[in-house]
Amino acid sequence: MTLAPARPVAAAAPRREQRSGDLARSWLGYVFVSPAVVLFVVFIGGPFVVAIGLSLFSWDMLTPPEFVGLENFRLLLADPTLLQAFGNTFLFAIASVVTHVVGALVLALAVNRVASRVVSYFVRTAVFFPFIISWAAVALLWQYMLDPTFGLVNHYLQRVGITPPDWFLDPSWALPAIIGIDFWHTLGFTFVIMLAGLQTVPKQLIEAARTDGATNRQVFWHVTVPMMSPTLFFAMVVTFIGAFQIFDPIQIITQGGPDDATTTLVMYLYEQGFQAFQVGYAATVAIVVFVVIMLVTLLQFWGSRKWVHQQ
């Protein structure tokens, strides 16, 4: 009679302990991730799904919603105010990206060359300080500064013989004024990004290029810019997303006027949803904003393969 081999009980116990340990670690991971998941579902994923549902209804928040299918999307194509808001938003976003990236890069290059540490810290603080001020305070400040009657900017323009425009009353100047205010308020954020990107450029490459006889311009275009291309790409994406959702200064200063010259997509969304009580149509505009930002961001990522150099 042959006896069966004894089961390795001692070896099975460590395997059970390992499996239980792996299970405990996996549950611990879910516990740490759960706050972010809950916040995403409550504040991003959930509202987005609700917005898609609301876009299929006509609802004024006072009467029961009426299902209209894709009627709200059809109305978008024939809405002249929406088309103007779309153009204003794109113009603002493009101008914001260009001015912020170029201005912040030039300023970062200048500060990076400053030998005095005290002067460097002072300039960094002075440039970044407006960014920490609330949009409400900034909008009220510049509304006073550009006031046609007693504004300081108009006063000093008149002192030097320049006739100042009616900044927020002239349709030709209202949007450029908002662009300038946004530049003053948010330049500090882009400036800090550019300054951090400059400090990641290897000094050995710059010294090697200068040893080979490269001028400062050649060093900038052939060494600094390629090495900073990931930073430039990040700044362009973040600036465009933020600019495309501009709302606060327009709501406080111009309310979309004059003649819808400063009406942006988010401002128009607010007007339709909370002033005209066309909640379904406002949700449709919100979906358009999301789709445009997503498409432009994907286009930026696609184009980045041709000019962004990973170290």
Side-chain angles (χ1 to χ4, degrees):
M1 182 176 179
T2 305
L3 297 177
R7 298 180 59 185
V9 179
R15 285 198 296 269
R16 286 197 300 268
E17 292 178 358
Q18 182 180 1
R19 285 196 298 268
S20 62
D22 293 340
L23 183 61
R25 283 191 293 271
S26 64
W27 277 108
L28 186 61
Y30 287 123
V31 169
F32 283 116
V33 172
S34 59
V37 174
V38 171
L39 290 175
F40 175 83
V41 172
V42 173
F43 294 103
I44 299 179
F48 180 72
V49 173
V50 172
I52 294 176
L54 286 175
S55 67
L56 305 177
F57 289 85
S58 176
W59 184 37
D60 58 4
M61 294 193 294
L62 300 175
T63 59
E66 177 184 356
F67 182 79
V68 295
L70 299 178
E71 180 66 16
N72 288 326
F73 291 92
R74 186 188 68 80
L75 294 175
L76 287 176
L77 302 177
D79 190 344
T81 305
L82 179 71
L83 295 178
Q84 184 173 359
F86 191 84
N88 292 339
T89 306
F90 253 108
L91 179 60
F92 179 89
I94 293 174
S96 182
V97 170
V98 173
T99 56
H100 279 72
V101 172
V102 175
L105 180 58
V106 171
L107 191 58
L109 287 170
V111 173
N112 200 45
R113 291 171 177 262
V114 174
S116 174
R117 183 171 299 179
V118 175
V119 175
S120 176
Y121 283 149
F122 174 79
V123 174
R124 295 181 193 184
T125 305
V127 174
F128 188 76
F129 181 76
F131 182 71
I132 66 177
I133 306 174
S134 68
W135 252 125
V138 170
L140 293 175
L141 169 66
W142 280 100
Q143 190 174 18
Y144 169 79
M145 295 283 290
L146 298 177
D147 188 273
T149 304
F150 50 81
L152 293 178
V153 174
N154 287 9
H155 171 73
Y156 285 107
L157 287 177
Q158 292 174 347
R159 290 283 298 270
V160 297
I162 299 176
T163 302
D166 294 330
W167 298 99
F168 303 122
L169 300 178
D170 188 345
S172 301
W173 283 99
L175 188 60
I178 297 295
I179 293 173
I181 294 172
D182 175 74
F183 176 77
W184 180 86
H185 177 54
T186 57
L187 175 67
F189 177 75
T190 314
F191 163 72
V192 170
I193 294 175
M194 293 298 178
L195 195 59
L198 275 176
Q199 294 174 354
T200 62
V201 177
K203 295 182 179 180
Q204 299 88 338
L205 294 180
I206 297 177
E207 293 174 358
R210 288 176 176 169
T211 302
D212 291 339
T215 63
N216 290 334
R217 181 179 298 179
Q218 291 172 333
V219 170
F220 174 76
W221 286 111
H222 298 290
V223 178
T224 304
V225 171
M227 290 294 100
M228 281 191 62
S229 56
T231 303
L232 294 170
F233 171 68
F234 173 78
M236 292 171 61
V237 171
V238 172
T239 303
F240 179 86
I241 293 176
F244 208 80
Q245 303 175 74
I246 189 68
F247 172 75
D248 296 359
I250 296 174
Q251 167 63 15
I252 296 171
I253 300 175
T254 63
Q255 292 81 47
D259 298 331
D260 295 323
T262 58
T263 299
T264 59
L265 287 175
V266 177
M267 183 68 201
Y268 189 61
L269 184 158
Y270 171 81
E271 292 176 351
Q272 292 298 311
F274 298 97
Q275 294 180 353
F277 296 105
Q278 299 295 326
V279 178
Y281 192 69
T284 308
V285 176
I287 293 175
V288 170
V289 173
F290 169 79
V291 171
V292 171
I293 291 177
M294 181 183 68
L295 290 178
V296 173
T297 303
L298 291 177
L299 183 62
Q300 289 176 310
F301 271 93
W302 176 79
S304 67
R305 296 180 298 179
K306 299 181 180 180
W307 66 276
V308 175
H309 302 276
Q310 301 295 337
Q311 297 183 10

